[in-house]
Structures are given as C-alpha cells and as structure tokens.
Amino acid sequence: MAEFKLLKSPIKIGNMELRNRMVMPPMVTNLAHDDGSVSSKTRAYYGARAKGGIGLIIVEAANVHPLGKGFANGLDIHSDRFIPGLRSLADEVHAHGAKISVQLYHAGRQTTSQVSGYQPVAPSPITDPVTGELPRELTKEEIKGLAVDYGKAAARAKAAGFDAVEIHFAHGYLLCQFLSPHTNKRTDEYGGSLENRMRFPIEVIRSVREAVGPDFPIIARISADEKLPDGITLEDGKAIAKRFEEEGVNAIHVSAGLYETMTWIIQPYVVQRGCLVDLAEAVKRVVSVPVIAVGRINDPELAECILAEGKADLVAFGRGLLADEELPNKVTEGRAGEVRKCIACLQACVDELLANQQVGCTVNARTGRECEFPMTKAETPRKVLVVGGGPAGMEAARVATIRGHKVTLWEKASELGGQLPLVVAPPEKDEFGTFADFLVKELERLGVEVHLNKEATVDAIRRENPDVVVVATGARPQTIEVSGVDRDHVVNAWDVLAGNVQTGKKVAVIGGGLVGCEVADFLAEKGHEVTIIEMLPQIGTDIGPVVGPILFARLEKNNVKVITGAKLTGIGERDISYEKDGKTEALGEFDSVVIAVGAAPDGSLTNQLEGSGINYYVIGDAVEPRRITHAVLEATRVAHEI
C-alpha cells in the first residue's frame, strides 16, 4: 500500500494519457475576473496543483451561456473573447506536466437574478428551495440553442489548448435538472420517461462531439443518486452512464446530490471518507470506459484501496488538493506521511463561496492566495521567537522556517495544540485532529526548536534576543456577570470539553453559539439531559450553512432543549432565571451550569510588550477569537512579512 503503485500508474481517457490516476475535480473558486475571464489568481491556483504532481486537472464549472452564471466570479466560456485567458491557463498547467480539462455547465435554476442579471431558467418553473427564486421554463427553441452553445464552448476549450472537456450533468445544475424527475415536470418530448429526460443531455453530448471531433476526450460528471425520494436513483444513474457511453463519452465522473442535498455534493466531517465510492463501483459494473470516484477522499491509502478493489479507475481528491497542493508529489516521492489532510470543515472552501467570497482553505492559507504567499526564501534570514503552540503559532513557525528563518517556539502548556484538543472533543470531529498531528510532525521535521512548559515574559524574551516575536497566545473563555456565577456547580465549556471537570445529569448550557451547541452535543451524547439558553433569536448563528443543520439535527435527536431570546439573570443552587419577552422565567433542577458565552484574547504578553522596544506581531485569537481559518491565514501572512 505504501508504494501506491496504482495511484502512480498512468491511464488513458480516450487518447489522452495521464501520468497518474489522481484527478483534481472541478471546484468553484470565485477567482476569475468580474467578467468571467481567467485571472492571475486563477493561473497561480491551478498552476500550483499542476506543479504538485496531479495527473488531470478539471477546471471549475465554466458557464456556456450568460443566463447560466451561478457564481459572482465564476469562469465563463460563452464567448471567443475568453479563449486567450483560457489558453494562458492551459499553458500554465501543461508547463508542469499535467493534463487539463474544463467543466462546461449552466446553473439553470440554481442561481439567482442577483448573480446572473436574469431570471433563472429551468426545464420546469419550480422554485429552488435554496436560492428561493422561481425559474422560467425553457422553450424547446431555447433548449435547441443551448445544445449548440455547449458545442461552441467545447470548441473554445479545444482552441485554447485544453486536453478534454467535462460536461456537468450533476449537482442539480441545468442538465441534471432535465435528468431528474424532481425538477423536470415537462409533458413534451423533454419530460416524463427517463429516455425523454435524457433527450436534452444527449443532444448536448452530440453537439459537443460534433464540435471537438471524434478523438477529443469527453468526460461526463453525473449525480448517480440525488439522495431524494423523487430524484435520480442509482438505477437511473447507471442507465444514464450506460447511455452516455453509447453516445461516445470517454469517462464517467460519479458524484451525487443537488443543492437540496448539499451534504452529498460537498461532504462535511460528519460524513465518512469515501462516502460516494459505492456509487462509482455500481456505475463501473455497467460501463467499460474509465470511472472517476470522488467524495471526501483525503487519504492516499484510501485512494489506493479504491483502485486496488476495482471500485474505480481514477480517484478525485477534491478538497484534499485545497488542503495540500503537493499531495500527488508526496505520494509519488514516498512522502505520503507528510500530506496535510482536508478536515472537511467547509469553513473557507464552502462558507466563503456561499458568501460570494473567493475560495480558501482552513488548513492551507495559500489556497487561492498563491500569488500573495509564494513561500519563497526571505531575503534576510532572521531569528524568530513564536510564543504559543496553537494552530496560529505552529503555522507561523512552520512557514517562517520554510522561508529560511531560525525559529524557536515557546508553549506554556505541556503539549502543543492550543485549543485544537477542544475542537476535536465533540462527537464526530476526530478529523480535526489530523491538522494538529500534521503541524507537530512538520515542526519536528523542519527542526523548529520547541520548548514546552515555557512561560514568556519580557525578561525571558530579552535573554533570548530574537529579531522578531510572534505572539500567538490565543484566548481564554469569557464568563458572564450574573449572580450565582461563582457557585461550585458552574463551569466553563472549555473545561468540560477538555475533561477537566465533570457535570451532573441535568445541565444548562448558557450560550448557543458554536461552542455552546458543541458542548451540548458532547454532553447529550454521553446521556446528559441538556438545555441551551441563548440570548439571540436562534442558536448557531456562527455555524456554517452546511454543517449547522447537521448539528442541529443531532441536538434534536438527543432531546436537547433550546430556549432562545433569553437573557440569563441569575443562577441559584438548582435553578436558573432568565428574561424573555419582558418576563422573568425560571427553570429548576439543574445539577450543573456550563458557561459558553465566547472567548476573549489573552493579552497578558501583548500588554507587557507594548513600549518594550521589542519587535513583535500578534496573530490568531490573541488578536480576536475567531475560526482556525483566520489563525492560519494570519500566521502565513506574518511569516511572509518577516
């Protein structure tokens, strides 16, 4: 397994030969210019993955028609004016030995008029429950025209030097909308039976084939199962794959879901690794062309197993390549143990996109910022002292060392990790621990001098005499000013998650943000009876839109009671009081009260350094408590400024 013979072996899709069986699937980045053209950020992002050793890059969804624009800064391919930029992107990828395809798509109803400038269109006028907009039904003339548009887009890709095209038949976008009985309620020849629902997609395949010629590879990405009672089933998916092969498609890329079942498109950490491989395996049984597996595959050993067991012919790593663009090189060079794994948190790769921001990665700040963070050697190596061994401190130490600085790290605790052990403690969050493991191993591999149980003071820093100090001392839990908060049965959430304290059977959690919800989940899973008291109208306002509903469903399943719009006013021996809607209410019989009302920066060292004459930076939660994403980003930025 450690040799990864299959992952490293070449394979052909049509007449396109790939150097290995590792694929970068299309993932929206929002890195394009406002007009949909390729930017320097786009080139640097894909160039880094090509340099990282990937066999095939399938560039993110490129829109074939103005009405199909689904993302503010998504790529466009609906005009010849985009060819020069696309050619520059193909040249960048080819320079590093990878092959490049582009995904042709139209968002259909899964966009908004705010993004595209038009009323969305679809096979049937059914409101998308996620976007909330009612689409207009396409006419038969428009359908015929769109098939031509797909062909023209494919011809542009070929003219730009791309090696293949992928047609997006998945994830609830326009072609998938036609394939699915959930979204296609037409009564003409484009609706009804599966054969009729396939009519437009097949017209698209034929148009693309005519435009690119007989030898140019075409890949089809399908949702083999939409995970909806009235959606595309696996049996449908297999039939679709077989028919597409008959129409000359050279490979099938097997995914699942649509916006309404988003967790199957972009799977969070609660979904098991390789969750869609069974779909790829089922499709592989009915087609003879290569099959690409995808779905939370962040581990090279898992990928090799998929190939060894004959479940697929190629493996798409997806967000694994956002987390570590060097993953393929590390596999081929025998350094798989150095892979920085995707933790499936969705914070920067999905939450940011849904807010119309550019793509990023919680554990890899370079993602989407390759131009800003080139990881080049510093002109003047310096002596750097990092204070704090959480994610911000360890990442600052790691990047600064790679850039040629001499780095020492001090951590006052007996082990590295900072708050990461607290992050891992709630149910189903073990994946987050892989990031801590990666950082600790990297510091050791790079030779960073680490001192544990080391308290930082101005005098100690002066004795060390560094050129630069990076303060990454993190945060401390906040309390709440209310009568009874000092009672013995009142504890803070951090101590509960760390296992430093035990709670009684009946627990009140004060605060319904991420930490409050997770500590409630943590306790409920262990059999405690939990009630959350939250001041805001709803809980989890700081939790992402994909992860949030999953966590809330777990709380409901475990009978966690939730009281919102409630301000705590007092804690008694067994009861608590709160104000809601102008009235004072009381709840009794609590054995423990857990305070989860946020955190405050640990400014003890920062205050000492002010006016000391010592050159220092402050990063991460020591500035303001936020997500791991912000800590890692600030650490990388500071390490490039030094």
Side-chain angles (χ1 to χ4, degrees), residues 24 27-32 39-49 60 321-325 348-349 352-353 357-374 633 636-637:
M24 180 180 184
M27 295 170 286
V28 174
T29 65
N30 261 342
L31 295 176
S39 69
S40 58
K41 287 183 177 182
T42 310
R43 285 190 296 273
Y45 167 83
Y46 286 109
R49 273 83 199 159
E60 65 198 88
L321 290 165
L322 304 187
D324 196 336
E325 63 270 38
C349 60
E352 295 293 320
L353 284 179
Q357 302 299 310
Q358 72 168 49
V359 73
C361 178
T362 290
V363 299
N364 182 8
R366 290 194 72 231
T367 296
R369 294 181 172 87
E370 289 79 10
C371 298
E372 183 180 354
F373 304 136
L633 176 59
T636 306
R637 181 168 287 131

Coordinates of all heavy atoms in Angstrom, one line a residue, residues 24 27-32 39-49 60 321-325 348-349 352-353 357-374 633 636-637:
M24 N -7.8 16.2 -10.1 CA -8.4 17.3 -9.4 C -9.8 17.6 -10.0 O -9.9 18.0 -11.1 CB -7.5 18.6 -9.5 CG -8.1 19.8 -8.8 SD -7.0 21.2 -9.0 CE -7.9 22.4 -7.9
M27 N -14.0 22.5 -8.8 CA -14.5 23.1 -7.6 C -14.5 24.6 -7.8 O -13.5 25.2 -8.2 CB -13.6 22.8 -6.4 CG -13.5 21.3 -6.0 SD -12.3 20.9 -4.8 CE -10.8 21.0 -5.8
V28 N -15.6 25.2 -7.6 CA -15.8 26.7 -7.8 C -14.8 27.4 -6.9 O -14.6 27.1 -5.7 CB -17.2 27.1 -7.6 CG1 -17.3 28.7 -7.7 CG2 -18.1 26.5 -8.6
T29 N -14.1 28.5 -7.5 CA -13.2 29.2 -6.7 C -13.5 30.7 -6.5 O -13.0 31.3 -5.6 CB -11.8 29.2 -7.4 OG1 -11.8 29.8 -8.7 CG2 -11.3 27.7 -7.6
N30 N -14.3 31.3 -7.5 CA -14.6 32.7 -7.5 C -13.3 33.5 -7.6 O -13.2 34.7 -7.1 CB -15.3 33.2 -6.2 CG -16.8 33.3 -6.4 OD1 -17.3 33.4 -7.6 ND2 -17.6 33.3 -5.4
L31 N -12.3 32.9 -8.3 CA -11.0 33.6 -8.5 C -10.9 34.4 -9.9 O -10.0 35.1 -10.1 CB -9.8 32.6 -8.5 CG -9.6 32.0 -7.1 CD1 -8.5 31.0 -7.2 CD2 -9.2 33.0 -6.0
A32 N -11.9 34.2 -10.7 CA -11.9 34.8 -12.0 C -12.2 36.3 -11.9 O -12.6 36.8 -10.9 CB -13.0 34.2 -12.9
S39 N -8.0 35.0 -14.4 CA -7.1 36.0 -13.7 C -5.8 35.4 -13.3 O -5.5 34.2 -13.5 CB -7.8 36.4 -12.4 OG -7.8 35.4 -11.5
S40 N -4.9 36.2 -12.9 CA -3.6 35.7 -12.4 C -3.7 34.8 -11.2 O -3.0 33.8 -11.0 CB -2.6 36.9 -12.1 OG -3.2 37.7 -11.1
K41 N -4.7 35.1 -10.4 CA -5.0 34.2 -9.3 C -5.5 32.8 -9.8 O -5.1 31.8 -9.2 CB -6.1 34.8 -8.4 CG -5.7 36.0 -7.6 CD -6.9 36.4 -6.7 CE -6.5 37.6 -5.8 NZ -7.7 38.0 -4.9
T42 N -6.3 32.8 -10.8 CA -6.7 31.5 -11.4 C -5.5 30.7 -11.8 O -5.4 29.5 -11.5 CB -7.7 31.8 -12.6 OG1 -8.7 32.7 -12.2 CG2 -8.3 30.4 -13.0
R43 N -4.6 31.3 -12.6 CA -3.5 30.6 -13.1 C -2.6 30.1 -12.0 O -2.1 29.0 -12.0 CB -2.7 31.6 -14.1 CG -3.3 31.8 -15.4 CD -2.3 32.5 -16.4 NE -2.0 33.8 -15.9 CZ -2.8 34.9 -16.2 NH1 -3.9 34.8 -16.9 NH2 -2.4 36.1 -15.8
A44 N -2.3 31.0 -11.0 CA -1.5 30.6 -9.9 C -2.1 29.4 -9.1 O -1.4 28.5 -8.7 CB -1.2 31.7 -9.0
Y45 N -3.4 29.4 -8.9 CA -4.1 28.4 -8.1 C -4.0 27.0 -8.9 O -3.6 26.0 -8.3 CB -5.5 28.8 -8.0 CG -6.5 27.8 -7.5 CD1 -6.6 27.5 -6.2 CD2 -7.3 27.1 -8.4 CE1 -7.6 26.5 -5.7 CE2 -8.2 26.2 -8.0 CZ -8.4 25.9 -6.7 OH -9.3 24.9 -6.3
Y46 N -4.3 27.0 -10.1 CA -4.2 25.7 -10.9 C -2.8 25.3 -11.2 O -2.5 24.2 -11.2 CB -5.0 25.8 -12.2 CG -6.5 25.8 -11.9 CD1 -7.3 26.9 -12.1 CD2 -7.1 24.6 -11.5 CE1 -8.7 26.8 -11.9 CE2 -8.5 24.5 -11.2 CZ -9.3 25.7 -11.4 OH -10.6 25.6 -11.2
G47 N -1.9 26.3 -11.4 CA -0.5 26.0 -11.6 C 0.1 25.4 -10.5 O 0.9 24.4 -10.6
A48 N -0.3 25.8 -9.2 CA 0.3 25.1 -8.0 C -0.1 23.7 -8.0 O 0.7 22.8 -7.5 CB -0.2 25.9 -6.8
R49 N -1.3 23.4 -8.3 CA -1.8 22.0 -8.3 C -1.1 21.1 -9.4 O -0.8 20.0 -9.2 CB -3.3 21.9 -8.4 CG -4.0 22.0 -7.1 CD -4.2 23.4 -6.6 NE -4.5 23.5 -5.2 CZ -4.3 24.6 -4.5 NH1 -3.8 25.7 -5.1 NH2 -4.5 24.6 -3.2
E60 N -12.8 24.3 -12.9 CA -14.1 24.5 -12.3 C -15.2 24.9 -13.4 O -14.9 25.3 -14.5 CB -14.1 25.7 -11.4 CG -13.7 27.0 -12.0 CD -13.2 28.0 -11.1 OE1 -12.0 28.0 -10.8 OE2 -14.0 28.8 -10.6
L321 N -6.9 18.5 -2.3 CA -5.9 19.3 -3.0 C -5.9 20.8 -2.7 O -5.0 21.5 -3.0 CB -6.1 19.1 -4.6 CG -5.7 17.7 -5.1 CD1 -6.2 17.5 -6.5 CD2 -4.2 17.5 -5.0
L322 N -7.0 21.2 -2.1 CA -7.0 22.5 -1.5 C -6.2 22.5 -0.2 O -5.4 23.5 0.1 CB -8.5 23.0 -1.1 CG -9.5 23.0 -2.2 CD1 -10.8 23.6 -1.7 CD2 -9.0 23.7 -3.5
A323 N -6.3 21.5 0.6 CA -5.5 21.4 1.8 C -4.0 21.1 1.5 O -3.2 21.6 2.3 CB -6.1 20.2 2.6
D324 N -3.7 20.4 0.5 CA -2.3 20.2 0.2 C -2.1 20.0 -1.3 O -2.4 18.9 -1.9 CB -1.8 18.9 0.9 CG -0.3 18.8 0.9 OD1 0.4 19.4 0.0 OD2 0.2 18.1 1.8
E325 N -1.7 21.1 -2.0 CA -1.5 21.0 -3.4 C -0.3 20.1 -3.8 O -0.2 19.7 -5.0 CB -1.2 22.4 -4.0 CG 0.1 23.1 -3.5 CD -0.1 23.9 -2.2 OE1 -0.9 23.5 -1.3 OE2 0.5 25.0 -2.1
A348 N -13.7 27.6 4.8 CA -13.2 28.5 3.8 C -13.5 28.1 2.3 O -13.5 29.0 1.4 CB -11.7 28.7 3.9
C349 N -13.7 26.8 2.1 CA -14.0 26.4 0.8 C -15.4 26.4 0.4 O -15.7 26.4 -0.8 CB -13.4 24.9 0.6 SG -14.2 23.7 1.7
E352 N -17.3 30.5 2.6 CA -16.9 31.7 2.0 C -17.5 31.9 0.6 O -17.9 33.0 0.2 CB -15.3 31.8 1.8 CG -14.6 31.8 3.2 CD -14.8 33.1 3.9 OE1 -14.9 34.2 3.3 OE2 -15.0 33.1 5.2
L353 N -17.5 30.8 -0.2 CA -18.1 30.8 -1.5 C -19.6 31.2 -1.5 O -20.1 32.0 -2.3 CB -18.0 29.5 -2.2 CG -16.6 29.1 -2.8 CD1 -16.6 27.8 -3.4 CD2 -16.1 30.2 -3.8
Q357 N -17.4 35.1 -1.6 CA -16.0 35.3 -1.4 C -15.2 34.3 -2.2 O -15.7 33.3 -2.7 CB -15.7 35.3 0.0 CG -16.4 36.3 0.9 CD -16.2 37.7 0.5 OE1 -15.1 38.2 0.4 NE2 -17.3 38.4 0.4
Q358 N -13.9 34.5 -2.3 CA -13.1 33.6 -3.0 C -12.8 32.3 -2.2 O -12.9 32.3 -1.0 CB -11.7 34.2 -3.4 CG -10.8 34.5 -2.3 CD -9.4 34.8 -2.7 OE1 -9.2 35.7 -3.6 NE2 -8.4 34.2 -2.1
V359 N -12.4 31.3 -2.9 CA -12.1 30.0 -2.2 C -10.9 30.2 -1.3 O -10.0 31.0 -1.5 CB -11.8 28.9 -3.3 CG1 -10.5 29.1 -3.9 CG2 -11.9 27.5 -2.6
G360 N -10.9 29.4 -0.2 CA -9.7 29.3 0.7 C -9.7 28.0 1.3 O -10.4 27.1 0.9
C361 N -8.8 27.8 2.2 CA -8.7 26.5 3.0 C -8.3 26.8 4.4 O -7.3 27.5 4.6 CB -7.7 25.6 2.3 SG -7.5 24.0 3.2
T362 N -9.0 26.2 5.3 CA -8.7 26.4 6.7 C -7.3 26.0 7.1 O -6.6 26.7 7.8 CB -9.7 25.6 7.6 OG1 -11.0 26.2 7.5 CG2 -9.3 25.6 9.1
V363 N -6.8 24.9 6.6 CA -5.5 24.4 7.0 C -4.4 24.8 6.0 O -3.2 24.5 6.2 CB -5.5 22.9 7.1 CG1 -6.6 22.4 8.2 CG2 -5.9 22.2 5.8
N364 N -4.8 25.5 4.9 CA -3.8 25.9 3.9 C -4.1 27.3 3.4 O -4.9 27.5 2.5 CB -3.7 24.9 2.7 CG -2.7 25.2 1.7 OD1 -1.8 26.1 1.9 ND2 -2.7 24.5 0.6
A365 N -3.5 28.3 4.0 CA -3.8 29.7 3.7 C -3.4 30.0 2.3 O -3.8 31.1 1.7 CB -3.1 30.6 4.7
R366 N -2.5 29.3 1.7 CA -2.1 29.6 0.3 C -3.2 29.4 -0.7 O -3.1 29.9 -1.8 CB -0.9 28.7 -0.1 CG 0.4 29.1 0.6 CD 1.6 28.4 -0.1 NE 1.9 29.0 -1.4 CZ 2.1 28.4 -2.5 NH1 1.9 27.1 -2.6 NH2 2.4 29.1 -3.6
T367 N -4.1 28.5 -0.4 CA -5.2 28.2 -1.4 C -5.9 29.5 -1.8 O -6.5 30.2 -1.0 CB -6.2 27.2 -0.8 OG1 -5.5 26.0 -0.5 CG2 -7.3 26.9 -1.7
G368 N -5.9 29.8 -3.1 CA -6.5 31.0 -3.6 C -5.6 32.2 -3.4 O -6.0 33.3 -3.9
R369 N -4.5 32.1 -2.7 CA -3.6 33.2 -2.4 C -2.2 32.9 -2.8 O -1.2 33.3 -2.1 CB -3.7 33.6 -0.9 CG -5.1 34.2 -0.5 CD -5.1 34.5 1.0 NE -6.3 35.2 1.4 CZ -7.4 34.7 1.7 NH1 -7.5 33.3 1.8 NH2 -8.5 35.4 2.1
E370 N -2.1 32.0 -3.8 CA -0.7 31.6 -4.2 C 0.2 32.7 -4.6 O 1.4 32.7 -4.4 CB -0.8 30.6 -5.3 CG -1.4 29.2 -5.0 CD -2.9 29.2 -4.8 OE1 -3.6 30.2 -5.2 OE2 -3.4 28.2 -4.3
C371 N -0.4 33.8 -5.2 CA 0.4 35.0 -5.6 C 0.8 35.7 -4.3 O 2.0 36.3 -4.3 CB -0.4 35.9 -6.5 SG -0.9 35.2 -8.1
E372 N 0.0 35.8 -3.3 CA 0.3 36.5 -2.1 C 1.3 35.8 -1.2 O 2.1 36.4 -0.6 CB -1.0 36.8 -1.3 CG -0.8 37.6 -0.1 CD -2.1 37.8 0.7 OE1 -3.2 37.4 0.1 OE2 -2.1 38.4 1.8
F373 N 1.2 34.5 -1.2 CA 2.1 33.7 -0.4 C 2.9 32.7 -1.2 O 2.6 31.5 -1.3 CB 1.3 32.9 0.6 CG 0.4 33.7 1.5 CD1 -0.9 33.4 1.8 CD2 0.8 34.9 2.1 CE1 -1.8 34.1 2.6 CE2 0.0 35.7 2.9 CZ -1.3 35.3 3.1
P374 N 4.0 33.2 -1.9 CA 4.7 32.3 -2.8 C 5.7 31.3 -2.0 O 6.2 30.4 -2.7 CB 5.5 33.3 -3.6 CG 5.7 34.5 -2.7 CD 4.5 34.6 -1.9
L633 N -4.4 31.9 8.4 CA -4.2 32.9 7.4 C -3.3 34.0 8.0 O -2.3 34.4 7.3 CB -5.5 33.5 7.0 CG -5.5 34.7 6.0 CD1 -4.8 34.4 4.7 CD2 -6.9 35.2 5.7
T636 N 0.3 32.7 8.3 CA 1.0 32.7 7.0 C 1.4 34.1 6.5 O 2.5 34.3 6.0 CB 0.1 32.0 5.9 OG1 -0.3 30.7 6.5 CG2 0.9 31.8 4.6
R637 N 0.5 35.0 6.7 CA 0.8 36.4 6.3 C 1.9 37.0 7.0 O 2.9 37.6 6.4 CB -0.5 37.2 6.4 CG -0.3 38.7 6.0 CD -1.7 39.4 5.9 NE -2.4 38.9 4.7 CZ -3.7 38.5 4.8 NH1 -4.3 38.5 5.9 NH2 -4.3 38.2 3.7

